[in-house]
Amino acid sequence: METIKYPNISEVEALLSRPAQSLEHLREPALAVIDEVRKNGDNALRSYTQKFDGVSIETFRVSAAEFAEAENLVGEDLKKSISLAAKNIEKFHAAQVSKVEKIETMSGVTCWRKSVGIERVGLYIPGGSAPLFSTVLMLGIPAKIAGCSRIVLCTPPSKSGKIHPAILYAAQLVGVTEIYKVGGIQAIAALTFGTESVPRVDKIFGPGNAYVTAAKQLVSNMGVAIDMPAGPSEVMVLADESCNPAFVAADLLSQAEHGTDSQAVLVTDNENIINAVKLAMYELLQQLARKDIAKISLEKSKLVLVKNAAEMLQVANIYAAEHLIISTKNAEEMAEKVVNAGSVFIGNYSPESAGDYASGTNHALPTAGYARSFSGVSVDSFVRKITFQKLTQEGLKNVGTAVEIMAEAEGLQAHKNAVSLRLI
Amino acid sequence: METIKYPNISEVEALLSRPAQSLEHLREPALAVIDEVRKNGDNALRSYTQKFDGVSIETFRVSAAEFAEAENLVGEDLKKSISLAAKNIEKFHAAQVSKVEKIETMSGVTCWRKSVGIERVGLYIPGGSAPLFSTVLMLGIPAKIAGCSRIVLCTPPSKSGKIHPAILYAAQLVGVTEIYKVGGIQAIAALTFGTESVPRVDKIFGPGNAYVTAAKQLVSNMGVAIDMPAGPSEVMVLADESCNPAFVAADLLSQAEHGTDSQAVLVTDNENIINAVKLAMYELLQQLARKDIAKISLEKSKLVLVKNAAEMLQVANIYAAEHLIISTKNAEEMAEKVVNAGSVFIGNYSPESAGDYASGTNHALPTAGYARSFSGVSVDSFVRKITFQKLTQEGLKNVGTAVEIMAEAEGLQAHKNAVSLRLI
């Protein structure tokens, strides 16, 4: 871990720059897979699944029997925990539904917006060592609340052709309409163009490895939308002498265990905190099953010593962390001044883990500095806000002259005519 | 204009497919310009402006004197019209600001979202024959309402090194903070990476030609966000015997005059309407200054005859038009059932022109079928909704066990530890 002492604020962005993640080398191979799936549908999915996942899949769609089996395999404690989390996530996201408000901008000119769920959405859930059923909740619940009519989930099968039961259980609980055993670039291509088995969708959500990320980038120029650009997960902790160094250490480690490319950054105005956190991290690290992963990502992590609370905040706003934990005396007041972050965790009893799983906020958040321009996933991500307007003849009279004059000044005579003709 | 009679609904998507718009051939040349601007900043901007706009620009930033001059050049009528439009747009968009609502998902677990304006936004306004000052209103007003602190506008200079006075006037009126005389790929690159003159921004908005669109696609993978994918403008009109064929014709033509690649589609359940609209279009077309452009785009336009109102609606939802005008008996009821559209215009006195300029709704809308997944520009486009959470020790106890069990089931032990440690 590198310690940076009293950096010049103008240098902070460069000092904390994320490792560059060019996906350019994956462009050609990903395009080849996408093209093949577009042309050959299920047959292409079968051969890629054989090649990349090492399993031969005849029927991609998960059957009712498989769902029933999964329900039996998930333990009661986990089921209860998933239910509790789902309830909180639902409560938080239900409040995001916006009501229609009709605005009469002028007499006789009424305009409004209505949220309409995207008809078909695709949720991608990675396979691999950890079954990310929590991500199923984070994507499936807002999709359901938004009113999406088709909620399609793709996830790669294991070598035995199965999906982890917790993923199936969570998906059924939140109302995913169908699950397909397909992963990687081929899943993204299938969701974009449709195959005999997998329906085409309008927007694709969810995390993935570099191949999936490259494929999502590519298909976002092929008619489908994607949730947001993806990058390695990251946390920044702002801490002063009021923090508990062991808690801070645990939070940094919980980020570090995600993957070798995760970033964890501590910013403090107190050098003792740096030493205490380092010590606590060392101790906690030894007990971790994923300690080898955490060690590698910690090598790139930074401990930043700044002059005061104001500088802590400046650093946080420059870095634009996916997760920002504030463990300071006046944490809430500080949080008010955060302008760039994905999700903010306030005080000593708000670990990132709470938001990752069960407090109610979404864990699909902008990484790599994209918090400067993107929000995390919410019900908004699953709707279009369609605008409507109804003008009476009187209303058109009230607004018409302005339209005519502006259209003429822009050289668009037919735009003007469309009003003039109605005002004769 | 092609007339399609009683199509099978399953074939509608293919029958009304937009002409494919591959920008692949612009990728390499656009990347070269972007790279050059990234490396050589203002010098690169100068040489591209000389090359593409045919003018040598020393100082890119528009001066106070130039703003003052523009103010004098814009006529009083146009100023009044712009003011009226701005007032309506502001009224409609101000209602989009969302309030903070704190949600206690469980006792001691409080979560909320706060809208925070994107700090630096870039608005691109094309040059060319028509000075799109209306787009300055449509992008600048929501940016201001959102609280963006830096609102940067780029637009190409004329051969005499000037910007159209109406653009400068509108920009100053709505609170654009700075304007730079640079257009094309080089402007998009400058907004992405910053140069000595032009600041780097977090998100780029606005229409443009194929080069600008290709550049926006490319930079959206280079750390900056963009508003939405761009395509040619389009309108669909649903009309039954209650419509006024001349109004419908005028609306179709106002779309057709935009550019040779614009699309205008009429859907009706009454063959007489098709004939009457064709006749009216022919007459109105003759009077248009831009009739050569309109003629070309009309060649690709479609007149679709369907069986009944239900089919009209099906076609509209399959096509997902940028602009959807409903001129039918029960237009409002029909509008309720629209699920895919950018903006909907209800009844005989709601021409698209009204929304294009002055009714209050935004005219920056999703084209090319992207209305299936994207909303038009709104205040939402200029904010991030940052989530916050504060747990008390009691709150963490309430949610903690679920977090521990779920983290363990996902194989993320450090995530579990971050809770366990706090609950000792």
Side-chain angles (χ1 to χ4, degrees):
Chain A
M1 282 183 294
E2 187 191 353
T3 303
I4 300 172
K5 288 190 188 175
Y6 303 118
N8 193 315
I9 291 297
S10 67
E11 294 166 346
V12 163
E13 185 166 6
L15 287 169
L16 296 183
S17 68
R18 282 90 168 166
Q21 299 266 331
S22 173
L23 297 173
E24 197 54 32
H25 63 292
L26 299 178
R27 185 181 150 81
E28 290 305 323
L31 276 174
V33 174
I34 291 169
D35 200 47
E36 183 64 20
V37 172
R38 182 180 201 164
K39 282 188 198 134
N40 295 317
D42 278 358
N43 281 337
L45 296 187
R46 276 192 197 95
S47 79
Y48 287 122
T49 304
Q50 181 72 67
K51 184 173 169 186
F52 298 130
D53 302 302
V55 55
S56 158
I57 298 284
E58 191 43 48
T59 306
F60 291 103
R61 185 162 180 167
V62 171
S63 68
E66 287 172 296
F67 278 112
E69 187 189 26
E71 172 118 26
N72 286 328
L73 288 171
V74 178
E76 282 312 311
D77 277 358
L78 184 54
K79 279 184 185 170
K80 265 190 213 160
S81 300
I82 290 177
S83 286
L84 180 144
K87 231 175 94 182
N88 288 346
I89 297 165
E90 201 176 332
K91 193 164 180 186
F92 184 64
H93 287 76
Q96 295 166 6
V97 175
S98 46
K99 286 159 211 78
V100 172
E101 190 192 347
K102 295 198 177 182
I103 313 273
E104 197 171 15
T105 54
M106 296 182 90
S107 175
V109 180
T110 309
C111 305
W112 65 98
R113 293 202 299 172
K114 188 172 84 166
S115 287
V116 180
I118 295 173
E119 290 199 280
R120 304 162 299 187
V121 295
L123 317 183
Y124 185 81
I125 302 293
S129 50
L132 297 182
F133 57 84
S134 61
T135 304
V136 178
L137 305 182
M138 295 296 177
L139 302 178
I141 291 171
K144 191 74 189 174
I145 292 172
C148 301
S149 44
R150 236 173 144 173
I151 306 172
V152 180
L153 190 152
C154 284
T155 187
S158 69
K159 289 225 185 309
S160 60
K162 300 267 187 184
I163 307 293
H164 194 286
I167 288 181
L168 296 185
Y169 177 77
Q172 194 154 45
L173 181 77
V174 301
V176 166
T177 56
E178 55 220 281
I179 300 190
Y180 298 91
K181 296 175 191 174
V182 57
I185 301 168
Q186 60 274 22
I188 303 303
L191 291 168
T192 303
F193 300 108
T195 69
E196 300 87 325
S197 298
V198 182
R200 175 185 129 197
V201 301
D202 303 310
K203 189 169 181 178
I204 301 174
F205 294 79
N209 60 19
Y211 293 95
V212 169
T213 301
K216 280 175 67 187
Q217 269 185 16
L218 287 167
V219 300
S220 74
N221 294 326
M222 298 178 184
V224 75
I226 63 169
D227 48 359
M228 67 182 105
S233 194
E234 59 199 26
V235 71
M236 177 175 273
V237 182
L238 309 185
D240 65 13
E241 79 274 13
S242 74
C243 81
N244 181 324
F247 296 179
V248 173
D251 291 336
L252 294 171
L253 281 174
S254 76
Q255 195 56 51
E257 78 172 342
H258 262 299
T260 55
D261 52 4
S262 294
Q263 243 199 344
V265 182
L266 168 66
V267 185
T268 180
D269 58 357
N270 185 323
E271 194 158 6
N272 295 332
I273 302 292
I274 290 189
N275 298 327
V277 168
K278 271 166 97 167
L279 204 67
M281 279 175 91
Y282 181 77
E283 281 174 25
L284 291 168
L285 181 63
Q286 307 313 317
Q287 312 155 12
L288 289 185
R290 292 167 73 97
K291 111 177 126 179
D292 293 342
I293 292 176
K295 263 187 186 165
I296 296 174
S297 62
L298 285 181
E299 278 168 24
K300 289 162 300 182
S301 295
K302 308 277 200 305
L303 305 165
V304 185
L305 180 63
V306 297
K307 294 194 201 104
N308 48 43
E311 281 199 357
M312 276 194 240
L313 196 60
Q314 280 182 294
V315 172
N317 282 328
I318 290 167
Y319 184 71
E322 180 192 12
H323 305 98
L324 179 67
I325 300 176
I326 309 185
S327 296
T328 63
K329 282 186 299 292
N330 41 11
E332 206 150 350
E333 198 180 299
M334 216 157 167
E336 282 288 323
K337 294 176 190 154
V338 170
V339 293
N340 290 324
S343 196
V344 182
F345 300 77
I346 301 172
N348 288 335
Y349 290 94
S350 306
E352 190 202 306
S353 307
D356 284 343
Y357 289 105
S359 63
T361 59
N362 208 292
H363 80 197
L365 294 166
T367 53
Y370 274 106
R372 294 187 196 101
S373 48
F374 280 84
S375 307
V377 163
S378 71
V379 172
D380 299 341
S381 317
F382 292 91
V383 301
R384 282 82 30 82
K385 295 191 177 168
I386 304 177
T387 51
F388 294 82
Q389 62 202 282
K390 185 172 184 179
L391 284 73
T392 61
Q393 194 169 4
E394 192 59 31
L396 188 61
K397 264 187 201 141
N398 290 334
V399 78
T401 310
V403 174
E404 291 176 305
I405 290 172
M406 291 172 79
E408 182 147 39
E410 286 194 352
L412 296 173
Q413 192 192 347
H415 281 64
K416 179 185 175 187
N417 285 354
V419 172
S420 311
L421 208 69
R422 286 166 160 100
L423 293 182
I424 291 169
Chain B
M1 281 183 295
E2 187 191 352
T3 303
I4 301 171
K5 288 190 187 173
Y6 303 118
N8 193 316
I9 291 297
S10 67
E11 293 166 345
V12 164
E13 185 167 5
L15 287 168
L16 297 183
S17 68
R18 283 90 169 167
Q21 300 264 329
S22 173
L23 297 173
E24 198 54 32
H25 62 292
L26 298 179
R27 185 180 149 81
E28 291 303 326
L31 276 174
V33 174
I34 291 168
D35 200 46
E36 183 64 19
V37 171
R38 183 179 200 164
K39 281 188 198 133
N40 295 317
D42 280 356
N43 281 337
L45 296 186
R46 276 193 196 95
S47 79
Y48 287 123
T49 303
Q50 181 72 68
K51 184 172 169 188
F52 297 131
D53 302 302
V55 55
S56 159
I57 298 282
E58 191 44 46
T59 307
F60 291 103
R61 186 160 181 170
V62 171
S63 67
E66 288 172 297
F67 278 112
E69 186 188 26
E71 173 118 27
N72 287 328
L73 288 171
V74 179
E76 282 312 312
D77 277 359
L78 184 53
K79 279 184 185 170
K80 265 190 214 160
S81 301
I82 291 177
S83 286
L84 180 144
K87 231 175 94 183
N88 288 347
I89 297 165
E90 202 176 331
K91 192 164 179 185
F92 184 64
H93 287 76
Q96 295 166 7
V97 175
S98 47
K99 287 159 211 76
V100 173
E101 190 191 347
K102 295 198 176 183
I103 315 274
E104 197 170 17
T105 54
M106 297 182 88
S107 175
V109 180
T110 309
C111 306
W112 65 98
R113 293 202 299 171
K114 188 172 85 167
S115 286
V116 179
I118 295 173
E119 290 199 280
R120 304 162 298 186
V121 295
L123 317 183
Y124 185 81
I125 302 294
S129 50
L132 297 182
F133 56 84
S134 61
T135 304
V136 177
L137 304 182
M138 295 296 176
L139 302 179
I141 291 171
K144 191 74 189 174
I145 291 172
C148 301
S149 44
R150 239 176 140 169
I151 306 171
V152 180
L153 191 153
C154 285
T155 188
S158 69
K159 289 226 186 309
S160 60
K162 300 267 187 186
I163 307 293
H164 193 285
I167 289 181
L168 295 186
Y169 176 78
Q172 194 155 45
L173 181 77
V174 302
V176 166
T177 55
E178 56 220 281
I179 299 191
Y180 299 91
K181 296 176 191 174
V182 57
I185 302 168
Q186 60 273 22
I188 303 304
L191 290 168
T192 304
F193 300 108
T195 69
E196 299 88 325
S197 298
V198 182
R200 176 185 131 199
V201 301
D202 303 311
K203 189 169 181 178
I204 300 174
F205 294 79
N209 60 20
Y211 294 95
V212 169
T213 302
K216 280 175 68 186
Q217 269 186 16
L218 288 166
V219 300
S220 73
N221 294 327
M222 298 178 184
V224 76
I226 64 169
D227 47 358
M228 67 181 104
S233 195
E234 60 198 26
V235 70
M236 176 174 273
V237 182
L238 309 185
D240 65 12
E241 78 274 14
S242 74
C243 81
N244 181 323
F247 297 178
V248 173
D251 290 337
L252 295 171
L253 282 174
S254 75
Q255 195 56 52
E257 78 171 343
H258 262 300
T260 55
D261 52 4
S262 294
Q263 244 199 345
V265 183
L266 169 66
V267 186
T268 180
D269 58 357
N270 186 324
E271 194 158 5
N272 296 333
I273 301 293
I274 289 188
N275 298 325
V277 168
K278 271 166 96 169
L279 205 66
M281 279 175 91
Y282 182 77
E283 280 173 26
L284 290 168
L285 181 64
Q286 308 313 318
Q287 312 154 12
L288 290 185
R290 293 167 73 98
K291 108 178 129 180
D292 293 341
I293 292 176
K295 262 186 186 166
I296 297 174
S297 62
L298 284 181
E299 278 168 26
K300 289 163 300 184
S301 294
K302 309 277 199 310
L303 305 165
V304 186
L305 181 63
V306 298
K307 294 195 201 102
N308 48 43
E311 282 200 357
M312 276 194 241
L313 196 59
Q314 280 181 295
V315 172
N317 282 328
I318 289 167
Y319 184 70
E322 180 191 12
H323 305 99
L324 179 67
I325 300 177
I326 309 184
S327 296
T328 63
K329 283 186 298 293
N330 41 10
E332 205 149 351
E333 198 180 298
M334 216 158 169
E336 282 288 324
K337 295 176 190 153
V338 170
V339 293
N340 290 324
S343 196
V344 182
F345 300 77
I346 301 172
N348 288 335
Y349 291 94
S350 307
E352 190 203 308
S353 307
D356 284 343
Y357 289 106
S359 64
T361 59
N362 209 292
H363 79 196
L365 294 165
T367 54
Y370 274 105
R372 294 189 196 99
S373 49
F374 280 84
S375 308
V377 163
S378 71
V379 172
D380 299 341
S381 316
F382 292 91
V383 300
R384 282 82 31 83
K385 296 191 176 168
I386 303 176
T387 51
F388 293 83
Q389 62 202 281
K390 185 173 183 178
L391 284 73
T392 61
Q393 194 169 3
E394 191 58 30
L396 189 60
K397 265 186 201 142
N398 291 334
V399 79
T401 310
V403 174
E404 290 175 306
I405 290 172
M406 291 172 79
E408 182 147 37
E410 286 194 354
L412 296 173
Q413 193 193 346
H415 282 64
K416 179 185 175 186
N417 285 355
V419 172
S420 311
L421 208 68
R422 284 165 161 102
L423 293 181
I424 291 168

